[in-house]
Amino acid sequence: MDENIRKLQDWIDESQNIVFFGGAGVSTESGIPDFRSTDGLYHQQYDYPPETILSHTFFEKNPAEFYRFYRDKMIVQGAKPNAAHLKLAELERAGKLKAVVTQNIDGLHQAAGSKAVYELHGSTLRNYCTRCRKKYPLSFIAESTGVPHCTEPNCGGIVRPDVVLYEEGLDQDVIEGAVAAIRRADMLIIGGTSLVVYPAAGLINYYAGKKLVLINKSPTGMDYRADLAISAPIGEVFSQITVK
């Protein structure tokens, strides 16, 4: 076993209040594209940059183009949890992992069995009418065409995904729950994120413990802050961990 993996295993064994903070790299091994990798969404060509299309202003002014992009690139149906999702759920069932804080919007942590999940950027699985607040499943958006509208009589409001767009604030209850969990943690594992998206990335500043682990496919600008930094795919790393 690699020395870094052995150290990670030892720390997990001796910890009882682990929190995991994850980004897009957690889901790439499930076939969901990463925004910032060399072949991710930010490196593909569209009439507008993805950051523009996925903004509140663009959604309000050009909803038809927003939904064309959203259905094409943001909805990934049929994706399955990978080794990382499954190991985190196993750690939670063992009573060691107390919370998952995720920047992802795919619901794969819950699909793997995790219960305590703070979704900083919302979820594509939840959708709602902007007028009457009626809730709709992912399939309603995926199977509709053009701008989806509420089916309630005398409503007809636009149905939008419950995801945080650029220019929108994060949910305060989710933020407070995530901060409280990170503050209480005796071990914080950060995985699959380059830690460049704020305010989400700033949450790690609330961790005051001595076991800060950073696992990412490529080195990050935050590696110097970690007590242990591992440059490898997170599913590959977690598949070597045994839950005791």
Side-chain angles (χ1 to χ4, degrees):
M1 183 185 287
D2 177 87
E3 183 181 340
N4 284 336
I5 302 295
R6 185 177 290 108
K7 181 181 284 189
L8 175 62
Q9 179 73 68
D10 289 344
W11 285 3
I12 288 175
D13 290 346
E14 64 191 40
S15 299
Q16 298 300 323
N17 194 334
I18 303 169
V19 170
F20 178 79
F21 180 98
V26 179
S27 292
T28 52
E29 290 167 73
S30 293
I32 294 178
D34 178 0
F35 270 47
R36 289 174 174 77
S37 65
T38 53
D39 56 350
L41 294 182
Y42 281 13
H43 293 268
Q44 298 177 25
Q45 297 301 311
Y46 297 93
D47 291 341
Y48 304 89
E51 301 99 319
T52 298
I53 299 174
L54 295 174
S55 69
H56 179 82
T57 298
F58 193 92
F59 173 78
E60 292 284 332
K61 292 184 176 180
N62 199 342
E65 183 67 9
F66 171 89
Y67 280 105
R68 188 173 74 86
F69 176 88
Y70 185 82
R71 289 189 188 94
D72 187 32
K73 296 298 178 186
M74 304 304 293
I75 295 178
V76 180
Q77 299 192 82
K80 303 293 184 185
N82 60 53
H85 299 106
L86 296 170
K87 189 66 67 174
L88 290 166
E90 188 180 351
L91 284 166
E92 184 185 65
R93 288 193 296 273
K96 286 185 158 296
L97 184 83
K98 303 304 182 185
V100 168
V101 180
T102 181
Q103 299 175 80
N104 297 335
I105 57 175
D106 49 47
L108 289 179
H109 284 292
Q110 291 92 329
S114 291
K115 306 296 183 187
V117 181
Y118 295 99
E119 296 175 308
L120 298 177
H121 298 149
S123 173
T124 60
L125 305 187
R126 298 188 301 270
N127 303 273
Y128 64 92
C129 172
T130 54
R131 186 175 296 168
C132 75
R133 314 302 284 188
K134 179 180 177 179
K135 296 178 181 178
Y136 288 87
L138 173 67
S139 58
F140 182 82
I141 301 284
E143 295 167 11
S144 62
T145 58
V147 180
H149 289 276
C150 183
T151 58
E152 284 296 296
N154 304 315
C155 181
I158 293 177
V159 176
R160 66 159 283 179
D162 187 12
V163 298
V164 179
L165 302 176
Y166 288 102
E167 304 169 348
E168 296 179 340
L170 304 187
D171 182 276
Q172 197 59 35
D173 289 340
V174 173
I175 285 287
E176 289 176 2
V179 167
I182 290 171
R183 276 183 165 149
R184 290 192 298 265
D186 62 4
M187 180 178 186
L188 177 62
I189 304 174
I190 301 170
T193 175
S194 51
L195 292 172
V196 296
V197 178
Y198 284 82
L203 294 184
I204 70 169
N205 294 323
Y206 291 99
Y207 178 65
K210 301 294 186 183
K211 288 182 284 192
L212 175 60
V213 180
L214 211 162
I215 307 167
N216 198 50
K217 200 171 183 179
S218 55
T220 78
M222 290 291 201
D223 285 7
Y224 74 96
R225 289 185 53 182
D227 300 300
L228 175 62
I230 301 174
S231 295
I234 187 149
E236 180 182 300
V237 172
F238 274 134
S239 65
Q240 300 176 65
I241 296 300
T242 301
V243 180
K244 300 174 183 178

